[in-house]
Amino acid sequence: MTDFTTRRGFLGGTAATALALGAGLRPGLAQDYSALKGKGSLVVCTWGGHYSDEMQRIWFDPFSEVSGVDVSTTSLPDMAKLEVMEKVGNVEWDLVDTEGTQMQLAIEKGLLQPIDYDMVFSLVPKETIDPKVAKDYGIGSVAFSTVIAWNSDLFGAEGPQTWTEWADTERFKGRRALYAQPRPSFEIALMAAGVPPEEIYPIDIDAAFEALDALKPKIDLWVQKTSQWAVLMQNGEVDLMGSSLARTLEEKKRSGRIDFTFNESIVEQSYWTIPKGAPGGAEAQKLLAWMMQPEGMLAYASSLPFVVANTAIYGDIPADMQEQLPGFPANAARNLQIDEAWWAANTAEVQPRWLDWLSRA
């Protein structure tokens, strides 16, 4: 763990700056960044929207100023597409924001190059990077959460606190919605059926589908894209959701009509990865090191409710903001972490069966 006392004065000032400035934070310009100098351009494949816009503002544009390397973004990360790019020798992406399960599959197919940790640790102390997200072929970008959320006009602050309660249609009457993917629907259905979070993995696939069979009649809407959550909540079309934390917090701040709990939230880690055939691979390693610095991490975590890789920031985020972050210790203790290795090993079996199950009335 980082000694926060040695960094508190500096990071505390940075926190205020990150919250106050509309423009991107220019981290650590007093530092010698000559090793980051480069040329050409980079294409970063992310998930788009405000999520990507904030990365551009906080990380990519400042990096371009320091390095001389232009950075643009595209979407969406797709390992099947990357595999085709690698096979034909025409890789279009230099850096990819990859879900943990996607990364595992890409590693198995030999699609990625190792992370240059010598470069990373030349800019940030090794002990400040969470070792759980420092992998050979990827380093933590963000971790995102699916939370139990509800219409506070109906339930006030006393909405369901577990997935079992969320599935109780007698106690909590209203329209329910879940994300139309097996991950995290498996985990949700099993917890709704009474399986303790610590006993979810390894998942018994047949048991998961049995739990889904019991839950399915209670689901009024299966959400195809996470961007739909905002519209559904704004229009009051659903009352009980297994929704993304970012969309839920956004609507809670906007209207005050949505509330949620971190209890039994489901967290999935994403990683920055560099394709093996990336034309700008060397420059992408430099951008990765730049993004691991605490100043930019603090600005990003202050803007969006995600867990980030540099643990040095958590002691200096304002208390009210810490309580909204899934990485805040009191919240992290209540979540379920997606087992990316299990999903990588079992997605090929689960996915066709899931699509068949979802298509049946």
Side-chain angles (χ1 to χ4, degrees):
M1 294 297 290
T2 304
D3 180 6
F4 290 115
T5 61
T6 63
R7 307 180 63 88
R8 185 170 302 278
F10 170 67
L11 285 174
T14 306
T17 304
L19 293 170
L21 289 180
L25 189 68
R26 269 59 178 171
L29 291 183
Q31 188 168 342
D32 179 10
Y33 287 120
S34 57
L36 300 183
K37 294 293 184 182
K39 58 184 179 179
S41 61
L42 289 174
V43 176
V44 181
C45 187
T46 77
W47 298 91
H50 183 57
Y51 173 80
S52 180
D53 292 342
E54 288 297 89
M55 289 180 173
Q56 189 80 46
R57 177 179 73 86
I58 292 168
W59 281 316
F60 304 156
D61 288 344
F63 174 77
S64 293
E65 292 182 17
V66 168
S67 69
V69 178
D70 183 62
V71 182
S72 61
T73 62
T74 188
S75 58
L76 293 164
D78 182 331
M79 294 304 101
K81 184 175 180 179
L82 177 59
E83 185 175 10
V84 172
M85 290 180 186
E86 289 283 1
K87 282 183 178 178
V88 301
N90 185 29
V91 177
E92 299 173 4
W93 306 332
D94 300 298
L95 186 64
V96 186
D97 189 5
T98 313
E99 291 179 346
T101 300
Q102 289 180 319
M103 182 182 73
Q104 293 291 333
L105 294 170
I107 290 171
E108 290 175 10
K109 293 179 180 292
L111 302 178
L112 304 177
Q113 59 178 274
I115 302 301
D116 183 354
Y117 281 102
D118 288 339
M119 173 67 71
V120 171
F121 297 140
S122 72
L123 291 189
V124 298
K126 182 176 182 179
E127 65 271 15
T128 66
I129 302 300
D130 183 352
K132 296 192 298 296
V133 301
K135 310 286 189 180
D136 289 345
Y137 292 91
I139 190 167
S141 55
V142 299
F144 51 94
S145 300
T146 298
V147 295
I148 297 170
W150 61 85
N151 183 336
S152 54
D153 283 351
L154 287 180
F155 308 115
E158 303 303 319
Q161 299 299 303
T162 66
W163 290 108
T164 301
E165 291 183 1
W166 187 90
D168 185 344
T169 55
E170 292 300 316
R171 181 177 172 188
F172 296 101
K173 300 181 186 299
R175 288 175 54 82
R176 287 164 167 77
L178 288 179
Y179 188 36
Q181 292 294 333
R183 190 180 74 249
S185 295
F186 268 27
E187 289 83 354
I188 289 171
L190 288 166
M191 284 190 282
V195 179
E198 64 273 15
E199 296 179 14
I200 294 291
Y201 297 106
I203 293 175
D204 181 319
I205 295 173
D206 289 336
F209 276 108
E210 288 178 13
L212 283 165
D213 285 339
L215 190 61
K216 192 175 188 180
K218 303 176 182 181
I219 306 303
D220 300 281
L221 181 66
W222 291 95
V223 176
Q224 298 295 326
K225 297 180 179 179
T226 56
S227 58
Q228 287 179 258
W229 286 119
V231 176
L232 292 171
M233 288 186 279
Q234 287 170 19
N235 295 343
E237 294 180 48
V238 290
D239 304 304
L240 295 138
M241 297 140 281
S243 67
S244 72
L245 172 61
R247 305 286 183 182
T248 304
L249 265 177
E250 204 172 277
E251 183 59 20
K252 180 176 181 178
K253 292 174 183 177
R254 189 192 73 85
S255 69
R257 296 182 58 241
I258 296 294
D259 210 344
F260 71 98
T261 177
F262 277 108
N263 195 46
E264 294 189 357
S265 60
I266 302 166
V267 177
E268 182 164 4
Q269 181 68 50
S270 288
Y271 297 84
W272 289 116
T273 63
I274 300 175
K276 184 166 63 176
E283 310 304 326
Q285 298 280 8
K286 298 173 185 177
L287 175 56
L288 265 186
W290 171 265
M291 288 191 292
M292 291 300 112
Q293 296 178 100
E295 299 91 339
M297 288 277 179
L298 180 58
Y300 198 76
S302 299
S303 174
L304 292 166
F306 295 112
V307 181
V308 293
N310 194 315
T311 60
I313 70 168
Y314 285 109
D316 296 277
I317 295 176
D320 60 338
M321 186 171 291
Q322 286 193 34
E323 293 169 3
Q324 298 176 2
L325 294 175
F328 182 54
N331 298 332
R334 296 187 284 165
N335 69 35
L336 169 69
Q337 192 83 26
I338 287 284
D339 186 333
E340 58 205 35
W342 187 92
W343 276 103
N346 291 278
T347 293
E349 176 183 350
V350 168
Q351 193 65 30
R353 187 170 168 183
W354 163 265
L355 292 173
D356 176 66
W357 178 87
L358 194 62
S359 69
R360 287 186 266 116

